[in-house]
Amino acid sequence: MRFNSLIAITILGCAVFNVNAQNTYSLDQLKTAARQNNHALAQAHRDIDAAGQQRAEAFTKYFPSVSATGLTFNANKGMASMTVNPSEILPSSLLSSLESTLPAELLASLGSPVNLSMIKKGTVAGVTLMQPIFAGGQIVNGNRLAKVGEDVSVLQLALAENEVDLKTELYYWQLISLQQKALTLQAVDTLLADIHKDVDVAVKAGVAMRNDLLQVQLRQNELASQWLKLNNGSAVTKLLLSQHCGLNDTTFRVAPLDFIIAEPVAYVDPDAALQSLTEYQLLNKQVEAATLNKKMVLGQNLPTLAVGAGYNYHNLLDKDRAFAMVFATLSIPISDWWGGSHAIKRSELQRQNAIDQMAEKSELLTIRMQSAWNDVNEALQQMLIAERSIEQAEENLRLNRDYYNAGISKMSDLLEAQMLYQQALDSRTDAYVTYQINALKYRQATAQ
């Protein structure tokens, strides 16, 4: 019978809106394209590179710092000046002996003050090398903190990939659902066309009322409205999927639906899966970062010790002078402990907040895993119910058509049976799509 062949067509495959489309994509192909072209993932990869650069920058703090300075100047007068009175600094015995040997004019000048000026111009240059010996643990903890930042960037990339995969599947299964419902409409449309043909013949023969024909036509108009909604929904979904995956193509097709669950979801103990969750690892890194931050604050209030060497040059006394030196510096913050003690207490409170947040969110992650498993089981049960409903609706439709042809049933009963059959098919499609989405959410929630 043609009716049974239409049922077989509906169950076997998925309708394709654009039969002239050139490309057909599977779910794995779309996921790969989304990961390669998604802007959020590209940004996450750049964040990892930036974190790596920050870690490399922190590592350079282990090595000596080298600096060079240079200065040249020319002042309007000497920066060092003094007044000297020779008669006050020369011994009286020397002055007595000079009186017999020096001219009177020169001897008189020894009693007058003399103004001296130095360092009016000059050049100063130097190179200094400093090697930190102890910095309160700031260098070591700074490198550890940079490593935590890099680990966090990698974990955030994993979360971004999960989000991209989930969004890809949402669009994919939404398009699959629309295509499958289009196939159902196609079968129902063909069925109504056959009924319309039979009723039209019966009306012309005077064995059926025209009202029956009008009911069929109204139902066909309703199907036409559903076609418009499905076509518009498909066009928008393809646009979203194309933009999300970077396809630059809206004429593609997706692989047909077969209603087969190839890989059933395996249950995972929530407590065992918790340690593997990306979200849990991020919470752990948050506690680790808060602990290191406290150590950094503590280190800022500890003494610092460094050794150094330098080579310097100057000509301040109108003579080139170069020299080398080695030195050690010890810096002890004394008054900083007043405010530093409060900073240490604040960092400890922040660390406790991170620990509490980890405990709370770990419980929520466990609850999320159990809820996701319940959603998977519910969707699976809905699929089984929908399969039984299809069998029952199919038989109900067959009987009502036979009853109508035999003249013992009304057209409204036949059309209602047809509508129930269509709803059963759509319910199975919705249940299958919901199962696939919930299965992915559960796998992501349990780090599978």
Side-chain angles (χ1 to χ4, degrees):
M1 294 177 63
R2 180 169 179 77
F3 172 69
N4 290 332
S5 65
L6 291 174
I7 295 175
I9 291 174
T10 305
I11 295 176
L12 287 176
C14 169
V16 177
F17 286 70
N18 186 356
V19 297
N20 296 321
Q22 299 297 317
N23 298 319
T24 301
Y25 296 106
S26 66
L27 179 57
D28 289 338
Q29 289 175 323
L30 291 172
K31 283 185 176 181
T32 300
R35 288 195 174 196
Q36 291 175 348
N37 301 301
N38 186 266
H39 297 295
L41 290 185
Q43 181 178 344
H45 281 288
R46 287 192 293 269
D47 289 341
I48 292 178
D49 293 339
Q53 295 299 324
Q54 186 173 8
R55 184 184 178 192
E57 177 186 355
F59 185 72
T60 62
K61 302 300 181 182
Y62 284 115
F63 301 99
S65 61
V66 181
S67 61
T69 59
L71 171 67
T72 182
F73 65 93
N74 190 350
N76 63 340
K77 57 183 179 179
M79 291 186 289
S81 62
M82 61 184 299
T83 300
V84 179
N85 192 337
S87 63
E88 294 178 355
I89 62 175
L90 294 176
S92 57
S93 58
L94 179 60
L95 289 174
S96 299
S97 64
L98 291 176
E99 289 178 355
S100 59
T101 58
L102 294 176
E105 295 83 0
L106 182 57
L107 188 61
S109 65
L110 293 178
S112 301
V114 179
N115 294 323
L116 299 178
S117 177
M118 297 181 295
I119 316 178
K120 182 178 181 297
K121 62 179 180 179
T123 300
V124 179
V127 177
T128 303
L129 180 146
M130 290 286 293
Q131 173 62 54
I133 302 300
F134 177 75
Q138 294 183 72
I139 296 177
V140 174
N141 292 321
N143 276 268
R144 292 173 180 172
L145 196 57
K147 177 61 169 62
V148 170
E150 189 175 23
D151 294 341
V152 167
S153 297
V154 174
L155 293 173
Q156 288 176 338
L157 172 63
L159 283 182
E161 289 176 342
N162 286 344
E163 185 65 25
V164 168
D165 286 347
L166 178 59
K167 196 171 184 179
T168 303
E169 289 218 13
L170 287 174
Y171 288 146
Y172 173 83
W173 290 114
Q174 183 177 354
L175 186 58
I176 283 288
S177 175
L178 292 171
Q179 290 183 165
Q180 183 64 28
K181 290 178 180 180
L183 178 59
T184 301
L185 279 183
Q186 182 180 356
V188 171
D189 198 16
T190 304
L191 174 63
L192 285 176
D194 288 346
I195 295 176
H196 182 278
K197 180 180 178 181
D198 294 342
V199 174
D200 185 50
V201 172
V203 170
K204 292 179 179 178
V207 295
M209 296 184 296
R210 182 169 178 79
N211 182 57
D212 291 348
L213 184 61
L214 291 175
Q215 291 184 54
V216 176
Q217 291 173 343
L218 287 173
R219 181 60 180 151
Q220 288 177 321
N221 291 339
E222 183 180 343
L223 287 184
S225 176
Q226 294 180 19
W227 271 114
L228 289 175
K229 293 180 180 179
L230 284 174
N231 285 329
N232 290 336
S234 174
V236 172
T237 303
K238 284 186 175 181
L239 283 173
L240 293 171
L241 188 56
S242 176
Q243 186 276 333
H244 178 68
C245 299
L247 300 179
N248 296 321
D249 176 24
T250 58
T251 62
F252 61 89
R253 302 168 59 181
V254 292
L257 183 62
D258 54 12
F259 294 107
I260 297 175
I261 301 176
E263 298 182 5
V265 180
Y267 177 76
V268 178
D269 181 67
D271 294 331
L274 183 62
Q275 303 289 332
S276 302
L277 287 182
T278 302
E279 294 89 343
Y280 180 83
Q281 294 173 14
L282 276 172
L283 292 170
N284 208 359
K285 291 297 178 181
Q286 184 176 340
V287 174
E288 185 178 353
T291 302
L292 290 172
N293 184 66
K294 178 187 175 182
K295 292 180 179 180
M296 290 286 289
V297 174
L298 179 62
Q300 293 171 2
N301 294 275
L302 293 178
T304 59
L305 175 65
V307 296
Y311 185 82
N312 301 277
Y313 161 84
H314 73 81
N315 61 358
L316 299 179
L317 300 177
D318 295 329
K319 184 177 180 180
D320 293 339
R321 177 70 173 169
F323 58 94
M325 64 177 178
V326 293
F327 57 90
T329 64
L330 176 64
S331 176
I332 303 176
I334 298 177
S335 62
D336 289 351
W337 266 99
W338 187 8
S341 61
H342 298 293
I344 294 172
K345 292 178 181 178
R346 184 181 70 249
S347 62
E348 171 60 21
L349 293 174
Q350 292 173 344
R351 190 181 75 89
Q352 289 296 329
N353 286 341
I355 294 174
D356 291 344
Q357 189 178 42
M358 180 177 179
E360 179 185 7
K361 291 192 174 181
S362 295
E363 296 173 353
L364 293 176
L365 288 172
T366 303
I367 295 173
R368 186 187 71 173
M369 284 186 274
Q370 187 59 49
S371 177
W373 176 249
N374 293 340
D375 291 341
V376 169
N377 285 329
E378 180 182 346
L380 184 60
Q381 293 301 317
Q382 291 289 354
M383 284 184 59
L384 297 177
I385 294 173
E387 290 289 351
R388 293 195 298 269
S389 297
I390 288 175
E391 296 176 0
Q392 296 164 356
E394 178 184 344
E395 180 64 14
N396 180 56
L397 178 59
R398 185 188 66 80
L399 291 174
N400 273 278
R401 188 166 188 183
D402 290 343
Y403 293 157
Y404 178 80
N405 291 335
I408 57 176
S409 176
K410 299 182 295 182
M411 174 57 66
S412 59
D413 295 335
L414 176 58
L415 293 179
E416 182 180 359
Q418 172 271 315
M419 183 175 62
L420 291 174
Y421 176 67
Q422 180 183 350
Q423 291 175 351
L425 293 175
D426 289 343
S427 295
R428 181 182 64 172
T429 299
D430 292 338
Y432 184 83
V433 168
T434 300
Y435 173 82
Q436 294 295 340
I437 294 174
N438 289 344
L440 174 63
K441 289 182 178 179
Y442 181 71
R443 292 189 183 99
Q444 291 184 350
T446 53
Q448 295 187 56

